[in-house]
Amino acid sequence: MDIQRIFENNKLWVAEKLGQDANYFKKLSQGQNPQILYIGCSDSRVTAEELMGVGPGEAFILRNIANMVSNLDLSAMSVINYAVNILEVKHIIVCGHYNCGGVKSAMQSADLGILNPWLRNIRDVYRLHKDELNTIENEEKKYDRLVELNVQEQCVNILKTADVQRAYRKRGITVHGWIFDIHSGKIIDLKIDYDKVLEGIREIYHLDD
Ligand code: CO
């Protein structure tokens, strides 16, 4: 890719936006008020804004390998804290995707260096759901299911934070688990029952008094 092309693209984009609204960038510079926090995979095929059809200012974004939410990840915890307490987003989305290389790597026996501790969180998801996953004989289906269960567990990790528990009780913030189906381009809502999930984890993870 010719890196210079990006600057040409940028010029065209600026012209297009100003053509629609002469004050477009003036308005953007005044601040942000996104209603969505989107946590997705770094995979170059899985865009964030483009797949949701939202523009600048509409979604606060965190992307990392395999859309993980680790309580030891200062970046993820800061993003959640800022999005929930300062921006007061109404929705938090964890969007995984089929054919996720991170999830695939976690299904294999290999020493991947610095990726080991990161991907071990996915191995933990596998261990938590081992009974279900081991009943699936087809490797592709097992892979797809682990992608889904990983999203579910990252949503649970979000619900373990005090910030989200407080916002859930005070203003009814909602957490959504989605899959981007890379074969069709469609977003699939996993329709996770959070009241039920919260009921199951409250005894151990309840922080908000
Ligand atoms: Co991925």
Side-chain angles (χ1 to χ4, degrees):
M1 178 171 199
D2 176 8
I3 213 79
Q4 205 51 41
R5 210 182 84 203
I6 291 173
F7 290 90
E8 303 298 328
N9 291 344
N10 173 251
K11 250 187 225 165
L12 293 172
W13 178 73
V14 170
E16 187 196 328
K17 290 295 175 193
L18 291 177
Q20 290 160 1
D21 177 359
N23 291 317
Y24 185 81
F25 293 103
K26 197 174 165 201
K27 284 180 195 163
L28 265 194
S29 66
Q30 281 165 356
Q32 60 171 335
N33 185 28
Q35 305 208 341
I36 292 169
L37 163 59
Y38 169 98
I39 299 172
C41 185
S42 296
D43 193 305
S44 59
R45 300 165 297 178
V46 188
T47 62
E49 288 93 339
E50 197 179 346
L51 75 86
M52 292 191 289
V54 301
E58 291 188 275
F60 202 61
I61 308 276
L62 173 72
R63 290 172 68 182
N64 60 37
I65 293 175
N67 40 270
M68 305 302 288
V69 179
S70 161
N71 63 323
L72 294 176
D73 177 3
L74 193 56
S75 173
M77 290 301 111
S78 304
V79 163
I80 291 171
N81 175 280
Y82 188 75
V84 171
N85 295 338
I86 308 297
L87 298 173
E88 298 193 322
V89 297
K90 294 185 171 68
H91 306 276
I92 302 178
I93 295 156
V94 177
C95 187
H97 67 102
Y98 293 138
N99 288 27
C100 182
V103 173
K104 183 89 183 170
S105 300
M107 291 175 79
Q108 289 158 359
S109 304
D111 181 352
L112 300 167
I114 190 64
L115 278 173
N116 290 337
W118 190 257
L119 297 176
R120 192 164 62 210
N121 296 308
I122 306 174
R123 292 183 198 272
D124 291 339
V125 173
Y126 196 112
R127 179 170 51 79
L128 272 173
H129 296 275
K130 194 163 94 99
D131 290 346
E132 180 192 336
L133 288 164
N134 284 352
T135 62
I136 306 171
E137 283 177 19
N138 182 297
E139 279 302 311
E140 279 302 305
K141 284 191 178 133
K142 189 186 280 190
Y143 179 19
D144 286 352
R145 186 62 185 141
L146 183 56
V147 165
E148 294 168 4
L149 290 169
N150 183 47
V151 166
Q152 182 178 312
E153 290 303 325
Q154 303 321 312
C155 289
V156 171
N157 285 343
I158 289 170
L159 291 168
K160 288 174 191 166
T161 65
D163 294 326
V164 174
Q165 288 180 13
R166 195 171 299 113
Y168 189 84
R169 184 172 57 78
K170 282 191 178 162
R171 56 185 180 85
I173 194 170
T174 47
V175 181
H176 309 265
W178 293 353
I179 300 289
F180 174 66
D181 182 356
I182 210 154
H183 308 288
S184 68
K186 287 182 181 159
I187 296 170
I188 299 163
D189 185 352
L190 293 176
K191 297 203 171 86
I192 298 163
D193 183 345
Y194 289 103
D195 286 325
K196 203 172 140 203
V197 171
L198 272 176
E199 204 51 54
I201 68 168
R202 183 167 287 135
E203 183 188 345
I204 299 162
Y205 294 103
H206 187 69
L207 300 174
D208 178 37
D209 45 28

